[in-house]
Amino acid sequence: MSDFNPFAALVEDNTIHSKRKDIDSILQDIFAFTLDFNISEKKQVLYLEEVAKTFNRNDLDVSILQHALFDRLFMCNEENLTIKNTKQRFRNTHASEEKVIIYLCNCYRNLNDENNLEADEKLKIKSLIIQNAVTALLQSEIYEGQQLENQLIDVLKDNIGSSNSFFKDICKGVLDEDDGGEAILKENLTKILLALTSEIRKANIINFDYKIFTVLNVLISEEYLASIFLDVKPPKFTVGSDYARTPLGALLDVSILPKVPNGIYEHFQDPTDQASITSAEGILWTNVNKLTEHIHALVLNLLTRSPQIKNKTLEWLGLCLKTNADRGKLWNAQSPPDLNPANFTNVSDGFMINFGNVMLRLCHPFCSNFKDKKILKVDPTYCSVPDEQHIERGIHLPGINSETCLIPNDSDKEDEKLLIADKYNFVTECFYFAHKALYLGFQVAVDKLVRLNHEVGRIERTYAETLAQATGNNEVVESIKRTMTQLLSKYLSLKAQLSDPVLLDSLFELMSTSTYWLCQVAINVNYNKTEHKTFAPLEEIPIFFPLPDTIPTTLKSIPEFMIENIVCCLVFLRRFNPKIFEEQGFNKLKPILSFILIYMGSPERMKNPHVRARLAEALEALLPHHNGEPSNFNTYGEYQREMLFTQHEHRSEIVSNLLNVFVGIEMTGQSVEFEQKFNYRRPMYTVMDYLWTKDEYKNDFKMLAKEAENNMEAVTPPLFLRFINLLMNDAVYLLDEALANMAKLKEMQTAKQNGEWALLPPQERNQNMAYMSHIGMIAKFDNILGRDTIKTLEKLTSEITIVFTHSTMVDRVAAMLNYFLFNLVGPKKKNFKVKDQKEYNFEPAKTVMHICKIYINLKESSSFCLAVSQDGRSYSPQLFTLAEDVLIRIGGGALIGELKEVAQRVAEKAKEQQASEEAIAEAPEHFLDPIMSTLMTDPVILPSSKQTVDRSTIARHLLSDQTDPFNRAPLSMDQVIPNTELAEEIKNWIIERKNK
């Protein structure tokens, strides 16, 4: 077949013709207007009648395009009849577009898609489009009411074709203006960014328009654009909360929580429906994660744009933290929300939690795996640098040098002054920024959540009581129900914001890595003080106990809030998401326990006894399980945490460190508020309860008890003896207070039931109700702690007896047991029988059981049985008979046989003692101990006051207070002087009396 094609020339001619499409048609396609009326109808483009008449032609070319385009833009008005008619007649929306910037962007996009123009023609047309867009921005009054800033935002949001290059070309066009182009550009971009900020501030976590990030990524795509972005702020910018009105701040302010104080909580409107709560949480967490991911990418983009923009971004972040520092103040946490000025002058909880979330993501590269040692690049001296040196040393967190640190800097010696490095790297800054943000955000919000939880509990009880007493349609019941629903919505919203799974995973990563770093800082003293390049640990050092005697100076630069963050995180995770411990595993839990052991037991490395005591809370949070937890609470098991207490290389330090901090929060020079110490000791009892279930730890307790037994008269009282002494003090105080408060509650309940309160004026009645609720809370607290204290004593006495029966302790032990047993089984027991005992955690039956077991545990000791019989305040021969009656009723019959044995031994000792007392009755006044009024057996003289007391009396006193009880002068047991002359005189007198 022949290859000849007779139509080839015809096809070729048509192709050439199509390629050479005339300029008129091209410009019609680009700009959607024409000078030919017939083509207007045919192609559905706008007919420019005035231009056609002016130039007396019906075709377009580049030479008259400027005039045509100006005429078209002048029509951009909703009232323009030509545009109105075109919109009604044509489907081509480009032809009838009324918005100047949108129209020009469409033209720009069409031009870029056009392939039939010569390069120089294309450049001229593009220049004309950009020139008109620049003119529109520079002389916006020409297009009054057009809201050009919002049009540019819409263009960038669409992100279609060449929208971004259109915007950048406009910016360059403004910059090229001879008369202050840079200032004009900044002014216009500021307007755009403030308009965008206004849009962001109207959004919430559910309806947020993620196209905004498309816009922002263009607005920071060039260094000069990013600089303007970071400079934008509202006209009035004076307080911390103003950061939420900047573009970046407005993004951080979008959360599950309200943006303003007393704002509406939009989520969890039906807080009683568990299914809807679970569903809502999942949706909210997805949105929180998506938003934070985008903000993180934006901040990372800024940090990597250029060194100048990185510096500017860090300045913004640092100043934001500094200006909102009041969020972390103690008064802020304790003030009622409505009366708290910080709520109005600082950013919202949602803002600061999001800030922390973004910082956690920035920390991920050096926190995801602490074994890669990247965290060891963090320099601990960051907080040492004075503000005036921040710029030269690369620090962007002003005011950080005023933080309270682990060790106070109270030395003027040259070799003990604060260390300062030459420069601080990004890893160090990122690490400290993250911790500061968490302290001001996550930790503050957790405190609020705890208070909200208490409020919800109180109003639920009030609602139940009011509902039970109400008849018919009661407005009071409905009012309380509305308040309860609002509180529950608030609680669930805050909990959801804090419980975002991605946030918690990142949080645990940082805390685990931080503890690893803190362990290394605590033992690393091998830094070169002369080079000043860095004081970061850099290389891992193995940990050994006892710790080195040399204390690193770098600890004077580490802020206490870092420790508070770690404790807060662990306690929160234990309560709301314990599965994270199991998911993260033993290797990431190991450094946390090492950290607790190093700092809890070392006052030299962490001076503040409050903070060291709080580490007991962290230790409690790591326990594999807790009594009273629901069966389905710990669905991931407890294997990884169990490994901590069975395989950790330093686990043998747990018991001694725990007792050290128990004693340390009360001893002279380490004291804390009287009531506060009970809050600190509560988790310690829980930890001891768990440790006692393990033979390994039980043996550690026994070893310390043996050491105490061998050193009862030592100059420095042994640790276990001091611990038991304080345990006894706590038991006496707590149980006594609990019984007194239960008696008060009984009186108040009786008065209320008898109708006495109904006769009172409403205000007084409400005061009585509030007071009863207050007493109930205190009683509950005392009952729980008192019960835990007695349980701990019962466990300890089951294996350890000598310390409890030593002359220093035995009288107090016996008197305490007698007193509480008498109150709980004697004639006064009815005084404590209140309505709803469970509500106040009042369990007298269990307490009686524990007390009886302690008697039984110590019954082999003659000194104990004698001390029980000598107690003239509470002991009587009927005491144990009354206890037996109670034991039978509460299911403790198995103890009765052994309790009878105790009663018999005590009775025998009572007889012996009676005979002895008769023999030594009427002892001379100077034979009696001035504190206890008992006959002294080993009198000693106190060096300062010159008073003579019995050795056992002053030894017991010095366990709690190392001062002379008569003049408060410092005193220790090695300073007392034996009064041998008086001792001999008393001895001879006793022999003489007994021989009569």
Side-chain angles (χ1 to χ4, degrees), residues 489-726:
S489 296
K490 192 174 179 181
Y491 172 82
L492 291 169
S493 298
L494 188 53
K495 176 175 166 284
Q497 184 73 46
L498 289 167
S499 303
D500 165 32
V502 179
L503 164 66
L504 294 186
D505 277 331
S506 302
L507 184 64
F508 182 86
E509 277 185 354
L510 177 67
M511 296 310 149
S512 173
T513 309
S514 297
T515 57
Y516 167 75
W517 177 79
L518 283 163
C519 289
Q520 290 301 308
V521 172
I523 59 174
N524 189 323
V525 293
N526 298 323
Y527 37 75
N528 190 327
K529 291 186 180 181
T530 57
E531 289 189 5
H532 296 304
K533 288 181 180 177
T534 181
F535 298 99
L538 297 179
E539 297 295 330
E540 182 180 337
I541 299 173
I543 299 169
F544 297 104
F545 284 88
L547 297 169
D549 292 333
T550 306
I551 308 300
T553 311
T554 48
L555 293 175
K556 292 182 177 182
S557 305
I558 297 175
E560 285 182 352
F561 68 67
M562 200 175 287
I563 312 299
E564 297 280 2
N565 281 343
I566 294 166
V567 175
C568 175
C569 164
L570 293 174
V571 172
F572 182 84
L573 289 177
R574 200 282 295 173
R575 186 170 179 183
F576 292 102
N577 202 344
K579 71 177 186 179
I580 284 183
F581 294 129
E582 298 302 309
E583 290 171 341
Q584 296 286 344
F586 175 63
N587 286 330
K588 287 194 175 179
L589 289 167
K590 268 177 69 176
I592 299 176
L593 183 54
S594 297
F595 152 76
I596 291 170
L597 295 176
I598 286 174
Y599 287 92
M600 187 168 70
S602 180
E604 302 82 15
R605 287 172 172 79
M606 189 157 71
K607 183 76 172 174
N608 192 331
H610 294 270
V611 184
R612 281 191 297 111
R614 286 213 67 202
L615 289 179
E617 285 184 67
L619 185 59
E620 182 205 18
L622 295 177
L623 293 179
H625 55 263
H626 294 73
N627 294 331
E629 281 181 352
S631 56
N632 62 344
F633 182 68
N634 205 4
T635 52
Y636 270 62
E638 54 199 40
Y639 178 73
Q640 301 294 333
R641 284 169 289 169
E642 190 79 40
M643 284 176 68
L644 265 187
F645 293 91
T646 58
Q647 296 187 26
H648 195 282
E649 56 191 338
H650 304 306
R651 62 188 182 278
S652 60
E653 302 295 322
I654 294 176
V655 172
S656 58
N657 276 330
L658 190 63
L659 299 195
N660 259 315
V661 79
F662 187 100
V663 170
I665 59 176
E666 187 154 2
M667 299 308 291
T668 303
Q670 294 276 305
S671 61
V672 298
E673 289 82 352
F674 183 73
E675 298 291 342
Q676 184 63 40
K677 70 181 179 183
F678 296 116
N679 281 318
Y680 290 147
R681 286 178 180 162
R682 180 201 55 75
M684 299 182 199
Y685 292 130
T686 307
V687 175
M688 287 181 213
D689 196 38
Y690 170 77
L691 295 177
W692 198 257
T693 64
K694 307 286 183 188
D695 289 340
E696 180 180 359
Y697 297 112
K698 197 182 285 188
N699 289 332
D700 290 340
F701 278 106
K702 288 180 183 177
M703 285 174 62
L704 289 171
K706 188 71 178 172
E707 182 189 333
E709 180 187 343
N710 296 334
N711 297 279
M712 294 296 277
E713 302 293 338
V715 174
T716 303
L719 175 62
F720 193 79
L721 182 60
R722 285 180 287 155
F723 163 63
I724 294 302
N725 177 62
L726 295 175

Side-chain angles (χ1 to χ4, degrees), residues 349-587:
D349 289 325
F351 180 110
M352 199 51 77
I353 293 169
N354 283 340
F355 193 126
N357 202 340
V358 170
M359 293 311 306
L360 285 171
R361 290 169 189 254
L362 289 172
C363 289
H364 180 76
F366 58 88
C367 285
S368 57
N369 178 19
F370 67 83
K371 288 187 176 180
D372 63 14
K373 311 292 189 298
K374 289 178 183 174
I375 189 65
L376 296 184
K377 294 177 183 177
V378 172
D379 194 316
T381 64
Y382 183 82
C383 299
S384 302
V385 184
D387 278 354
E388 60 270 18
Q389 295 182 32
H390 278 190
I391 294 174
E392 64 182 277
R393 299 185 190 274
I395 289 179
H396 299 87
L397 188 50
I400 192 70
N401 57 308
S402 63
E403 294 290 344
T404 303
C405 293
L406 302 188
I407 305 176
N409 181 37
D410 49 12
S411 175
D412 294 327
K413 295 179 183 176
E414 187 63 35
D415 60 344
E416 292 185 23
K417 282 188 176 179
L418 293 178
L419 304 173
I420 297 176
D422 289 340
K423 277 279 186 184
Y424 292 89
N425 56 34
F426 176 70
V427 171
T428 298
E429 282 229 294
C430 199
F431 179 77
Y432 277 94
F433 271 51
H435 269 287
K436 185 66 177 177
L438 291 169
Y439 178 65
L440 299 178
F442 190 86
Q443 193 176 152
V444 170
V446 168
D447 287 342
K448 288 183 181 179
L449 188 71
V450 170
R451 288 198 299 276
L452 261 177
N453 189 36
H454 292 156
E455 282 184 54
V456 168
R458 280 197 295 275
I459 199 164
E460 282 178 339
R461 288 192 296 274
T462 304
Y463 177 69
E465 288 174 9
T466 311
L467 190 63
Q469 296 169 8
T471 54
N473 184 18
N474 193 311
E475 288 185 14
V476 176
V477 172
E478 287 303 312
S479 174
I480 294 172
K481 186 178 180 181
R482 281 194 299 273
T483 305
M484 182 174 69
T485 301
Q486 288 169 0
L487 268 179
L488 277 169
S489 296
K490 192 174 179 181
Y491 172 82
L492 291 169
S493 298
L494 188 53
K495 176 175 166 284
Q497 184 73 46
L498 289 167
S499 303
D500 165 32
V502 179
L503 164 66
L504 294 186
D505 277 331
S506 302
L507 184 64
F508 182 86
E509 277 185 354
L510 177 67
M511 296 310 149
S512 173
T513 309
S514 297
T515 57
Y516 167 75
W517 177 79
L518 283 163
C519 289
Q520 290 301 308
V521 172
I523 59 174
N524 189 323
V525 293
N526 298 323
Y527 37 75
N528 190 327
K529 291 186 180 181
T530 57
E531 289 189 5
H532 296 304
K533 288 181 180 177
T534 181
F535 298 99
L538 297 179
E539 297 295 330
E540 182 180 337
I541 299 173
I543 299 169
F544 297 104
F545 284 88
L547 297 169
D549 292 333
T550 306
I551 308 300
T553 311
T554 48
L555 293 175
K556 292 182 177 182
S557 305
I558 297 175
E560 285 182 352
F561 68 67
M562 200 175 287
I563 312 299
E564 297 280 2
N565 281 343
I566 294 166
V567 175
C568 175
C569 164
L570 293 174
V571 172
F572 182 84
L573 289 177
R574 200 282 295 173
R575 186 170 179 183
F576 292 102
N577 202 344
K579 71 177 186 179
I580 284 183
F581 294 129
E582 298 302 309
E583 290 171 341
Q584 296 286 344
F586 175 63
N587 286 330

Side-chain angles (χ1 to χ4, degrees), residues 26-62:
I26 292 171
L27 294 178
Q28 289 167 10
D29 292 341
I30 292 171
F31 293 97
F33 56 64
T34 181
L35 303 186
D36 188 331
F37 179 78
N38 295 324
I39 290 177
S40 169
E41 294 291 330
K42 184 179 177 182
K43 294 181 71 171
Q44 293 202 343
V45 294
L46 185 68
Y47 175 51
L48 300 180
E49 185 178 359
E50 291 297 325
V51 178
K53 287 180 179 178
T54 300
F55 288 93
N56 193 26
R57 56 191 289 183
N58 64 359
D59 64 319
L60 283 165
D61 64 21
V62 176

Side-chain angles (χ1 to χ4, degrees), residues 747-780:
E747 287 177 21
M748 296 175 85
Q749 286 184 354
T750 303
K752 184 182 175 186
Q753 288 166 2
N754 291 344
E756 294 175 28
W757 287 15
L759 303 174
L760 297 171
Q763 185 177 356
E764 195 173 338
R765 188 164 62 245
N766 290 337
Q767 285 176 346
N768 282 358
M769 289 291 289
Y771 182 60
M772 186 164 78
S773 175
H774 175 68
I775 293 295
M777 284 173 56
I778 295 173
K780 182 177 182 178

